[in-house]
Amino acid sequence: MTENPDRPERFHYSEDDVQREVTELEGKSETAARLFDLRRIIGGLFVVYGVIVTITGITDSPAAIDKAQGVNINLWTGIGMLLLGVFFLAWLKLRPTPPPLPPEGLPEEPAEKH
């Protein structure tokens, strides 16, 4: 190929630059995966809705309780939702998402050079 003065030269990245960029992108990907873990979303929604339904159950009138054959259904459902939401959040805390395994066929990272 001939050199064209109108075209800029292509960038040449060293192996270290590429490896550093890949490592940085993998770290960002792992953070995004943990942030959008379904256990966090489901647990958070159940806790929020559980609080709302529990407060509704605490403030229910006797007429509303009589409609449910004497059972304060809002209170019991709200407590159940709270417990389920806390379970999901505790599960997330106790068993966090493991980092992804490297693809097969790629060599492991070499030891640091001194």
Side-chain angles (χ1 to χ4, degrees), residues 9-99:
E9 288 187 35
R10 294 179 189 238
F11 293 107
H12 295 286
Y13 295 106
S14 70
E15 186 67 29
D16 291 338
D17 291 338
V18 172
Q19 186 64 33
R20 187 175 333 126
E21 186 72 21
V22 167
T23 304
E24 184 179 314
L25 289 173
E26 285 175 348
K28 288 180 181 178
S29 175
E30 290 174 17
T31 302
R34 284 190 199 109
L35 181 63
F36 294 108
D37 190 341
L38 285 179
R39 295 175 291 181
R40 180 184 315 259
I41 296 168
I42 292 170
L45 285 173
F46 267 101
V47 167
V48 169
Y49 291 140
V51 167
I52 293 169
V53 174
T54 301
I55 291 172
T56 303
I58 291 171
T59 60
D60 266 348
S61 67
I65 295 172
D66 287 340
K67 281 184 184 178
Q69 298 179 355
V71 177
N72 193 342
I73 194 71
N74 286 331
L75 180 64
W76 289 108
T77 304
I79 291 171
M81 292 174 79
L82 277 171
L83 290 174
L84 184 63
V86 169
F87 167 75
F88 271 94
L89 295 176
W91 180 22
L92 176 68
K93 184 72 173 170
L94 296 174
R95 304 272 318 230
T97 306

